[in-house]
Amino acid sequence: MANIAFIGLGNMGGYMSANLVKAQHKVRGFDLVADLRAAAEREGVEIAASARDAVKDAEVVITMLPQGQHVLSVWRDIIEAVPAGALMIDCSTIDVASAREAHGIAAARGLDVVDAPVSGGTAGAKAATLTLMVGGTEQAVSRARPILEKVGSKVVRCGEAGMGQAAKICNNMMAGINMVAASEGFALAERLGLSAQALFDVVSTSSGQSTAVTGFCPVPGLVERSVSNNEYKPGFALALMLKDLKLAQSAAASVGATSPLGALAVQLYALHALAGQDGKDFSHIYTMIRGAGK
Amino acid sequence: MARIGFIGLGNMGLPMAGNLVKAGHQVLGFDLVNSNVEKAVARKVEKAHGAADVAKDADCVITMLPAGKHVLDVWGGGLLAAAKPGTIFIDCSTIDVASARKAHDMAAKAGMLSLDAPVSGGVGGAEAASLTLMVGGTKEAFAKGQPILSGVGKKVVHCGDPGAGQSAKICNNMMLAITMIGTCEAFNLAEKLGLSHEALFDVASTSSGQSWAVTTYCPVPGPVPTSPANNHYKPGFAAALMQKDLGLSQEAARSAGASTPMGAAASQLYNLFVSQGHGGDDFSGIINMIRGKA
């Protein structure tokens, strides 16, 4: 069993570090927020005095932080304190450029490193059923795999440095666009007098099918497990979808990719967030598209 | 077996009329283009002397025409008047919802039963009698039309009242167009970021970004061997037809007061693609425009 340092014990990191403890790893954790440290301690995480202190004897270092700037500042702070030969894993969802920079920081010290953003939300984190999209050398990924398999059920190597982040934002950009597509289709159908059930029956087995329709249907009453049946309680919060869509656009801008619908999706989710709906599931965008209904 | 009048023996109408003959019906056909009529005669369709001629003594009249105005002109221009009361009129054209409803009204006033029954599946589906038919009309009309329509397609879905077939088709295809462009944007972004098509496909096909556009009709060659991307974007479903359906969806949205921001953008993007000379490409070929290579 490994000595693991875990930095960032929030909504996601709290559950993930607890699952590593359950898997018999020795986990030393740190977070700037005292309440989060206390909660992790109750789950069996040994609390360190600082991020640098947490990594002292670590064989594996995992970070789970809000943004690229946080990851880079923590990694720069701890990197000299990380023991030689340790494996660095960043599970945060951050921009591709920062992810590559983080790889560079670790590589300069000769450490193996992977970017491993997750999907599956807090429910997946709690149940250890996350999907992890992993970028890094084959050696680094094969070292990370047995650890990551304790926090998720699917670990996919997507390519070299940064490719985990790239896969995540490309996937989520499609998911964000598809949800608006589904919302517009159902809203138009309602106005035309076509029942949601009839449209669902056609679309779910036809060319308009997407997981936005058949998995997360934004119209209540059509898909049993959809959060639209539960007042759009996330699920995957609209604020997080907006964050990922913005990351996709910043990546697109930096590599010169055109993304007209991705850009429009950012604006639509931003409008809905502005109206105070960022804590709802992202499928709640349907209610904005629908307006007052027919 | 029924006596069927069939008007509009083009790319779609010709094989459909031929399949009705194969199903044992007596089919009398008409088209303004003589060569189309000759091809139909080769498929054992009987040649009529005029549009109204096909309706005399018919149990069922089917039209397959380019746009709403053609359907209204033909139905109102002597066809309904020539039929015996209680004849079932089926319009298989893809037309605007308002014209479809108007056609139903005209049929009802003339004492006829009627269905709107637009199809999906393209010329390949028409030849193989494997079309999907989305049907709007009364239960009585559907009960009468269903056995005939099952001779041209393998899936005949009753979507609701008059116009519901057209509504279902344009809602589905609007969702498809948006989803396809989103998929193209994501695969292009992946390319530019250095993420392989296969890696993005592996993640997206089992994740929140999944859609028919990804898993059945993938717009890049490789991941789905049967998709038109593997065959130089030969249709499949031509971009010009997608452009037409998006135009219909936006017309319906305007008249019904539905907001479709992405449907509007998709409509404009397909206008752009077609105006650059790509109307004959498969609609998934829009990835080349997104890449800047169309």
Side-chain angles (χ1 to χ4, degrees):
Chain A
M1 292 301 103
N3 286 334
I4 300 176
F6 204 111
I7 298 164
L9 304 168
N11 287 334
M12 297 294 291
Y15 288 126
M16 292 166 70
S17 57
N19 282 327
L20 290 169
V21 171
K22 278 183 204 147
Q24 311 299 324
H25 291 295
K26 183 164 177 276
V27 182
R28 266 168 73 76
F30 182 73
D31 196 289
L32 288 175
V33 179
D35 286 352
L36 297 175
R37 292 198 299 267
E41 193 165 24
R42 287 194 293 275
E43 299 293 333
V45 174
E46 185 189 325
I47 298 302
S50 67
R52 284 176 84 94
D53 179 44
V55 304
K56 243 179 1 201
D57 301 312
E59 295 156 275
V60 178
V61 175
I62 302 178
T63 48
M64 188 56 161
L65 298 163
Q67 288 175 25
Q69 66 195 70
H70 307 118
V71 173
L72 292 175
S73 88
V74 167
W75 282 38
R76 286 191 186 109
D77 175 48
I78 62 174
I79 199 70
E80 291 306 324
V82 173
L87 168 67
M88 301 287 291
I89 303 176
D90 180 39
C91 285
S92 322
T93 294
I94 63 172
D95 59 289
V96 177
S98 295
R100 284 180 171 149
E101 209 174 325
H103 275 267
I105 291 169
R109 265 220 54 203
L111 302 177
D112 277 337
V113 51
V114 300
D115 54 297
V118 307
S119 73
T122 50
K126 189 175 181 183
T129 57
L130 295 169
T131 293
L132 294 101
M133 291 149 273
V134 189
T137 63
E138 281 188 30
Q139 175 184 306
V141 176
S142 64
R143 281 183 69 191
R145 189 177 292 278
I147 308 284
L148 297 177
E149 279 169 351
K150 300 302 180 193
V151 300
S153 54
K154 200 176 150 198
V155 178
V156 189
R157 178 169 185 252
C158 297
E160 300 294 330
M163 291 305 101
Q165 301 293 350
K168 180 166 184 190
I169 58 171
C170 288
N171 178 75
N172 282 14
M173 184 173 84
M174 289 191 273
I177 292 170
N178 294 351
M179 183 54 77
V180 179
S183 298
E184 292 186 14
F186 279 104
L188 175 57
E190 182 184 16
R191 297 259 178 180
L192 292 172
L194 175 67
S195 78
Q197 185 69 57
L199 181 60
F200 182 85
D201 289 346
V202 168
V203 169
S204 59
T205 59
S206 184
S207 53
Q209 184 276 337
S210 68
T211 294
V213 174
T214 49
F216 313 134
C217 194
V219 183
L222 297 172
V223 172
E224 199 181 336
R225 68 188 167 102
S226 159
V227 298
S228 60
N229 301 314
N230 189 23
E231 292 169 351
Y232 299 93
K233 221 183 120 200
F236 183 54
L238 194 136
L240 294 174
M241 176 54 87
L242 180 56
K243 174 192 166 187
D244 290 359
L245 287 168
K246 285 179 176 167
L247 290 175
Q249 289 308 297
S250 81
S254 72
V255 294
T258 40
S259 177
L261 295 191
L264 180 52
V266 168
Q267 299 301 321
L268 292 170
Y269 285 102
L271 265 178
H272 203 46
L274 204 58
Q277 306 294 349
D278 51 339
K280 297 277 194 191
D281 186 74
F282 78 112
S283 60
H284 194 257
I285 192 83
Y286 166 67
T287 65
M288 181 181 89
I289 298 292
R290 177 177 181 255
K294 197 181 180 185
Chain B
M1 289 304 101
R3 191 178 156 85
I4 299 171
F6 203 114
I7 296 175
L9 302 166
N11 289 334
M12 296 294 290
L14 174 70
M16 290 168 71
N19 283 327
L20 289 169
V21 173
K22 279 187 200 156
H25 299 292
Q26 186 190 356
V27 182
L28 197 62
F30 181 74
D31 194 293
L32 288 175
V33 179
N34 265 326
S35 61
N36 286 348
V37 177
E38 281 157 27
K39 284 181 205 154
V41 168
R43 297 189 189 216
K44 307 234 166 31
V45 172
E46 292 169 36
K47 180 179 173 177
H49 299 295
D53 191 36
V54 309
K56 249 188 289 178
D57 308 319
D59 305 306
C60 170
V61 176
I62 299 177
T63 47
M64 189 56 164
L65 298 163
K69 65 175 185 315
H70 307 117
V71 175
L72 295 176
D73 284 353
V74 170
W75 283 33
L79 201 63
L80 286 164
K84 60 179 188 276
T87 300
I88 176 139
F89 277 71
I90 305 176
D91 180 39
C92 287
S93 323
T94 295
I95 63 171
D96 60 290
V97 178
S99 295
R101 287 185 175 143
K102 205 162 165 195
H104 277 280
D105 286 346
M106 284 163 47
K109 279 198 187 104
M112 309 295 170
L113 293 169
S114 58
L115 296 171
D116 53 298
V119 308
S120 72
V123 175
E127 289 286 357
S130 63
L131 295 169
T132 294
L133 294 100
M134 289 147 277
V135 188
T138 62
K139 278 187 184 152
E140 184 193 1
F142 182 75
K144 204 162 168 187
Q146 199 270 341
I148 292 167
L149 293 175
S150 61
V152 300
K154 65 167 190 227
K155 204 174 147 200
V156 182
V157 190
H158 191 203
C159 298
D161 291 334
Q166 301 293 351
S167 298
K169 181 167 182 189
I170 58 169
C171 287
N172 180 78
N173 282 10
M174 183 178 80
M175 288 153 89
L176 168 62
I178 297 169
T179 303
M180 179 55 79
I181 296 171
T183 302
C184 293
E185 290 181 19
F187 274 90
N188 177 54
L189 176 56
E191 284 167 15
K192 295 242 158 89
L193 291 170
L195 175 67
S196 75
H197 293 159
E198 204 58 53
L200 180 56
F201 181 84
D202 287 348
V203 168
S205 60
T206 59
S207 185
S208 54
Q210 185 278 335
S211 66
W212 183 92
V214 173
T215 49
T216 304
Y217 215 81
C218 197
V220 296
V224 178
T226 52
S227 79
N230 300 285
N231 190 22
H232 307 287
Y233 298 98
K234 224 184 115 199
F237 182 53
L241 293 173
M242 180 54 93
Q243 181 197 24
K244 175 191 167 187
D245 290 359
L246 285 168
L248 293 174
S249 76
Q250 294 314 291
E251 205 177 318
R254 258 193 310 279
S255 70
S259 313
T260 55
M262 284 214 184
S267 180
Q268 292 300 323
L269 289 167
Y270 275 100
N271 286 347
L272 267 177
F273 187 55
V274 171
S275 73
Q276 284 160 66
H278 296 285
D281 294 0
D282 184 75
F283 81 110
S284 64
I286 200 164
I287 192 169
N288 290 318
M289 185 177 84
I290 299 290
R291 282 181 179 132
K293 287 176 187 159

